[in-house]
Amino acid sequence: MQSAKGRLIAISADTLETQKKFKAELQAGYSFVADPEAELIRLYDVKVPVMNLANRVTFVIDKKRQIVAVSSGGDAIDPTAALNAVQQCSAR
């Protein structure tokens, strides 16, 4: 990911404490952002109706702050497509 000059950020409606525990369990080397009020989740239109939960979605955003790739559901779990999109952005 660093060679592509990208940055991975995980955002969840979980509390900060829950995010800290999850990050530690995963031994994740990337940032986690707690969004318990679901502001970012609503902004990116990935909120599950009625519940304060988000669908699993991965967005790749380029230097111009344009969304250049989106994957959702099971595809969002595997980072391959997102990493490929980041590399394509870096090549531009």
Side-chain angles (χ1 to χ4, degrees):
M1 185 66 132
Q2 279 186 317
S3 64
K5 299 180 183 176
R7 184 172 176 201
L8 176 62
I9 302 171
I11 301 171
S12 171
D14 291 326
T15 64
L16 180 59
E17 287 305 312
T18 300
Q19 288 283 60
K20 285 181 181 179
K21 290 176 188 174
F22 189 53
K23 181 177 179 175
E25 287 173 16
L26 292 176
Q27 298 180 335
Y30 49 89
S31 302
F32 279 63
V33 174
D35 186 23
E37 301 300 318
E39 293 174 26
L40 291 169
I41 291 165
R42 278 191 292 278
L43 180 66
Y44 282 90
D45 196 26
V46 296
K47 188 175 179 299
V48 174
V50 184
M51 303 176 77
N52 201 32
L53 300 172
N55 290 310
R56 187 177 299 272
V57 181
T58 299
F59 294 94
V60 177
I61 302 169
D62 69 9
K63 291 178 184 179
K64 297 176 186 173
R65 298 183 179 170
Q66 303 278 325
I67 296 172
V68 295
V70 178
S71 55
S72 61
D75 292 339
I77 296 170
D78 180 0
T80 305
L83 291 171
N84 289 337
V86 168
Q87 289 173 347
Q88 289 174 359
C89 288
S90 295
R92 293 184 202 164

